Amino acid sequence: MTSSIAPNSAATVELKPSYNIPVVLVIAAIPLLFLQPWVGIVFAFLGLFLLFQTVSLRVQFTATDFDLYRGDKLLRRFPYQEWQNWRIFWDRVPILFYFKEINSIHFLPILFDPKTLKACLEERCPRI
């Protein structure tokens, strides 16, 4: 599904990966390696780790759940009925997705299409 099409709450929507955050971290690590080697190494490893996560994870919005997959294996299912709130931090450059369930909170880097993410959230889990 592309971000220009409004999602249908009955259909399953799989978000496209977004490589923005990992690529920016890896590129930022290059000059940092010369200025502050340890900081550059940390940025590089974080960027490479997030790049691996972007390639290997899939996120789907179903009619009733937010599902997280690694390949074909379901890692975690988050039923919408347990959600209390959600937020995308820094609208201009979305980098962090927060949502609160009844018993826990979650922070996820935005490694998928932020426009489709927001559209699906607004349709399936309206904020309180």
Side-chain angles (χ1 to χ4, degrees), residues 7 12 14 16 26 30 35-36 39 43 45 49-50 58 66 72 76 80 82 93-94 104-105 107 110 128:
T12 296
E14 183 170 317
K16 293 179 182 179
V26 170
I30 295 169
L35 300 172
Q36 292 288 327
V39 174
F43 269 64
F45 278 124
F49 172 74
L50 291 176
R58 292 184 307 127
F66 175 78
D72 293 330
R76 185 86 191 267
Y80 304 135
E82 295 181 9
V93 183
S104 59
I105 62 171
F107 290 94
I110 296 186
I128 299 174

Side-chain angles (χ1 to χ4, degrees), residues 11-111:
T12 296
V13 177
E14 183 170 317
L15 300 182
K16 293 179 182 179
S18 172
Y19 299 94
N20 295 342
I21 294 172
V23 168
V24 166
L25 288 172
V26 170
I27 290 172
I30 295 169
L32 285 173
L33 286 169
F34 296 107
L35 300 172
Q36 292 288 327
W38 286 107
V39 174
I41 290 170
V42 169
F43 269 64
F45 278 124
L46 180 60
L48 293 173
F49 172 74
L50 291 176
L51 184 61
F52 171 74
Q53 296 294 345
T54 304
V55 170
S56 65
L57 294 177
R58 292 184 307 127
V59 172
Q60 290 183 350
F61 282 90
T62 67
T64 58
D65 307 304
F66 175 78
D67 295 339
L68 181 64
Y69 289 87
R70 182 174 309 279
D72 293 330
K73 181 182 177 187
L74 177 65
L75 296 177
R76 185 86 191 267
R77 176 163 280 153
F78 303 97
Y80 304 135
Q81 67 186 13
E82 295 181 9
W83 288 38
Q84 294 181 328
N85 197 9
W86 63 268
R87 184 169 179 192
I88 296 174
F89 290 99
W90 300 289
D91 283 335
R92 290 186 181 195
V93 183
I95 61 169
L96 191 62
F97 167 48
Y98 154 83
F99 66 99
K100 182 177 186 224
E101 291 183 293
I102 293 169
N103 295 320
S104 59
I105 62 171
H106 306 277
F107 290 94
L108 301 171
I110 296 186
L111 302 176

